Amino acid sequence: MVKSNGNLESHFQIPKVKFTKLFINGEFVDSVSGNTFETIDPRNEEVIARIAEGDKADIDLAVKAAREAFDNGPWPRLSPMERRNIMLKFADLIIENAEEIAALDAMDAGKLFAAGKTMDIPSAAQFMRYYAGAADKIHGTTLKMSRDIQGYTLLEPIGVVGHIIPWNFPTQMFVMKVGPALAAGCTMVVKPAEQTPLSALYYAQLAKQAGVPDGVINVVTGFGSTAGAALCSHMDVDKISFTGSTEVGRLVMQAAALSNLKPVSLELGGKSPFIVFDDVDVEKVAPLAMIGILFNKGEVCVAGSRLFIQEGIYDKFVKKLVEITKTWVVGDPFDPNSHQGPQVDKKQFERVLSYIEHGKREGATLLTGGNALDRKGYFVEPTIFTDVEDHMIIAKEEIFGPVLSVMKFKTVEEVIKRANCTQYGLAAGVMTNNLNIANTVSRSIRAGVIWINCYFAFDPDCPYGGYKSSGFERDLGMEGLHKYLQVKSVATPIYNSPWL
Ligand SMILES: NC(=O)C1=CN([C@@H]2O[C@H](COP(=O)(O)OP(=O)(O)OC[C@H]3O[C@@H](n4cnc5c(N)ncnc54)[C@H](OP(=O)(O)O)[C@@H]3O)[C@@H](O)[C@H]2O)C=CC1
Ligand SMILES: CCCCCC/C=C/C(=O)O
């Protein structure tokens, strides 16, 4: 039985929500319609605040501000060093306000407050600093042309960017998208997920404080089917950067194509294999496998949700997994003893529980967990299914919760084939002390991120994104910056040069 920590009263003074309106052209404003929507605390199902509900009319105003800021404003025309300095100030303000932002994401998304303060928010500031440092290192190339022509390329900002972000990492997603776009000299409209508007609005205020000019960053809170769809279809938006479900990713791409053929980058769902060979130390790797599914309550696209264990260590490994779940505390995300908070909302909570019922009906063995906690809020026990078969729904579909599907395998060839047998291709974990196996498997798995003897090894310098139905283009790394740039080739004749 998973313990639900008794201390549900937070000793931390939860801050009042300061920003609830749309942020357009440097000001917090009501939506044109005057409509608002509730943002709910998944700990207790209570209303945190009412937030301005932007729709097409507000997207039009936000895009107009971003368009004007790009076409005539200072941001794309500042020297890269000036952009860098403002971005560094932005990063400093993120760190200075880490505690308040962590509290907002804990209230809005059920994310652990302590982890937010010490990991999520600081890593977001690091992402911003990484791209501040990249701002004055955006270089084209000189070309060796075949005739008496001199050629070179320019990397130019793509223009007005629409960022549509999900609810699972409100902070990182905001900064992973906004940071590189700022460094590139772009302007933007951010549509945060309806479940998690609070930190995005807070970041908008910090950006203004840091000196980001009005109109460069605009935040329109609201719903995907209205505000999000309007952003994707907008004729004055030059690029869409989307993170979310594969299903919605298709809609985003369709809207972009049917409007002005704007390019899109898609970071979508996953069903990542975590592969354990029988030469590993079970005591060390089993905890990593559990973190691979339980980190952030399983609401992670790269979660290692399919655990493949080689038969030689299967029984010992599974026994260790159960031991670990018994020490795993599910409870109030403000309580420092909690390892796991509530799922983000009622819809996701019910979705996870419905997948657990699928697993039972399909004949998998429910080894541990499988229940909601008997308390208010959207809390789900860490759940492990064994005897899972590849054709089962819990082996094929992304659950996006603390539910692990465990499978046994014999050979390297078998596990490569089974790991690749998925529509997704986001990430994979390969646990082995055999370098040849690590090399073979890492090159054979069709996924955008491979972690060998580690997991969730995120870094600002390491590109992150998917193959197949997990999307294309990358966040993070210099690839995460280049998607906000476009290449211009320039050529001129050369005369009397001693060489070509
Ligand atoms: N790759 C990743 O990091 C993530 C993947 N996911 C996947 O998505 C699933 C559901 O999560 P969810 O948040 O509902 O993901 P969605 O794909 O539904 O939403 C992601 C973002 O897209 C917006 N959106 C929704 N419909 C449209 C549309 N027609 N046009 C433009 N934007 C739209 C959403 O707005 P709104 O929230 O207001 O509807 C949200 O901001 C998860 O179970 C998981 O499979 C989810 C989060 C992160
Ligand atoms: C420190 C963790 C950063 C994670 C940010 C991106 C991951 C998103 C996902 O896979 O859902």
Side-chain angles (χ1 to χ4, degrees):
M1 172 60 190
V2 173
K3 291 185 290 181
S4 165
N5 50 306
N7 166 25
L8 293 186
E9 288 309 309
S10 162
H11 62 282
F12 174 75
Q13 185 58 43
I14 294 177
K16 289 200 179 312
V17 172
K18 293 175 183 149
F19 309 113
T20 61
K21 296 187 176 185
L22 311 181
F23 186 78
I24 297 177
N25 207 21
E27 301 299 330
F28 286 100
V29 295
D30 292 321
S31 59
V32 170
S33 67
N35 292 341
T36 60
F37 67 97
E38 294 173 342
T39 189
I40 303 295
D41 187 332
R43 297 178 296 155
N44 50 34
E45 305 172 42
E46 291 170 7
V47 176
I48 304 169
R50 296 200 69 84
I51 307 294
E53 181 188 340
D55 59 23
K56 184 180 181 310
D58 308 286
I59 289 289
D60 288 346
L61 292 174
V63 170
K64 185 178 175 201
R67 186 81 265 163
E68 174 61 19
F70 185 77
D71 293 347
N72 302 305
W75 189 250
R77 296 160 185 84
L78 287 177
S79 72
M81 202 173 286
E82 289 170 307
R83 278 202 292 276
R84 179 200 67 187
N85 292 341
I86 291 171
M87 290 173 71
L88 288 174
K89 175 65 181 167
F90 192 359
D92 292 344
L93 290 169
I94 291 172
I95 291 292
E96 288 169 28
N97 292 272
E99 189 156 276
E100 186 157 357
I101 300 169
L104 294 178
D105 282 347
M107 281 194 286
D108 232 3
K111 293 176 74 72
L112 297 178
F113 171 64
K117 235 183 2 174
T118 58
M119 187 182 71
D120 290 45
I121 316 300
S123 69
Q126 290 301 69
F127 294 166
M128 186 60 72
R129 288 182 175 134
Y130 174 87
Y131 287 109
D136 55 1
K137 299 171 189 65
I138 298 175
H139 304 138
T141 52
T142 54
L143 307 172
K144 265 297 176 199
M145 309 286 269
S146 57
R147 297 173 25 242
D148 51 353
I149 299 282
Q150 172 194 317
Y152 57 92
T153 61
L154 293 172
L155 298 184
E156 298 184 336
I158 202 162
V160 173
V161 179
H163 296 301
I164 300 176
I165 59 178
W167 40 259
N168 61 332
F169 290 94
T171 276
Q172 278 97 339
M173 291 293 173
F174 184 94
V175 178
M176 278 163 72
K177 305 274 185 196
V178 167
L182 285 174
C186 294
T187 61
M188 58 209 80
V189 178
V190 182
K191 207 301 284 178
E194 64 182 281
Q195 297 88 337
T196 52
L198 297 180
S199 53
L201 294 171
Y202 198 94
Y203 285 121
Q205 175 60 23
L206 294 185
K208 185 178 176 86
Q209 276 179 257
V212 176
D214 293 348
V216 174
I217 298 177
N218 303 275
V219 179
V220 176
T221 47
F223 296 88
S225 56
T226 49
L231 195 53
C232 295
S233 303
H234 206 290
M235 297 300 283
D236 277 344
V237 171
D238 301 304
K239 167 110 187 183
I240 293 288
S241 179
F242 172 81
T243 295
S245 65
T246 297
E247 173 201 357
V248 174
R250 287 195 175 89
L251 298 177
V252 168
M253 200 166 173
Q254 187 181 46
L258 295 175
S259 52
N260 60 353
L261 211 59
K262 57 176 78 67
V264 301
S265 75
L266 300 178
E267 199 274 292
L268 306 177
K271 191 73 178 182
S272 300
F274 189 108
I275 303 167
V276 183
F277 288 92
D278 57 15
D279 65 341
V280 303
D281 177 346
V282 172
E283 296 300 314
K284 282 186 181 162
V285 175
L288 193 56
M290 284 317 294
I291 287 294
I293 187 61
L294 297 181
F295 169 59
N296 202 47
K297 49 228 168 89
E299 293 172 348
V300 187
C301 278
V302 289
S305 51
R306 289 186 293 154
L307 174 60
F308 290 93
I309 308 170
Q310 197 163 25
E311 59 180 4
I313 54 163
Y314 181 86
D315 293 340
K316 184 181 178 189
F317 201 94
V318 167
K319 183 169 179 290
K320 185 65 185 172
L321 295 178
V322 175
E323 277 175 31
I324 295 166
T325 54
K326 291 191 188 313
T327 64
W328 190 260
V329 178
V330 181
D332 188 313
F334 281 100
D335 187 315
N337 299 314
S338 296
H339 297 115
Q340 177 184 322
Q343 307 313 122
V344 70
D345 65 1
K346 189 173 185 338
K347 173 185 161 193
Q348 200 59 23
F349 171 71
E350 291 172 349
R351 175 185 164 119
V352 172
L353 294 176
S354 75
Y355 273 110
I356 290 172
E357 290 312 307
H358 272 302
K360 293 175 187 172
R361 276 202 300 274
E362 291 180 303
T365 303
L366 179 61
L367 194 64
T368 185
N371 302 297
L373 266 60
D374 179 18
R375 56 160 291 170
K376 245 187 175 321
Y378 308 124
F379 297 87
V380 178
E381 293 177 341
T383 299
I384 301 176
F385 280 103
T386 53
D387 304 317
V388 178
E389 295 175 19
D390 296 338
H391 65 82
M392 291 181 178
I393 286 176
I394 60 170
K396 293 195 303 182
E397 295 183 15
E398 183 181 51
I399 297 171
F400 228 59
V403 180
L404 181 64
S405 298
V406 181
M407 290 158 277
K408 191 189 294 185
F409 73 93
K410 290 183 191 306
T411 67
V412 180
E413 294 72 21
E414 174 201 340
V415 76
I416 288 171
K417 186 167 183 292
R418 293 173 64 188
N420 276 331
C421 185
T422 169
Q423 65 165 312
Y424 296 111
L426 196 51
V430 184
M431 308 298 143
T432 178
N433 295 315
N434 182 319
L435 184 60
N436 293 330
I437 288 178
N439 286 335
T440 302
V441 178
S442 59
R443 283 161 174 71
S444 303
I445 299 287
R446 296 194 65 230
V449 182
I450 306 289
W451 289 308
I452 300 174
N453 296 333
C454 61
Y455 212 75
F456 295 145
F458 284 99
D459 186 276
D461 195 33
C462 183
Y464 158 79
Y467 285 19
K468 304 192 293 186
S469 293
S470 292
F472 45 80
E473 292 200 345
R474 293 292 181 265
D475 281 329
L476 298 180
M478 290 308 280
E479 287 81 355
L481 169 61
H482 284 206
K483 72 184 185 183
Y484 299 111
L485 298 164
Q486 47 193 352
V487 180
K488 177 177 284 177
S489 297
V490 182
T492 60
I494 49 174
Y495 301 102
N496 309 320
S497 168
W499 41 268
L500 284 181

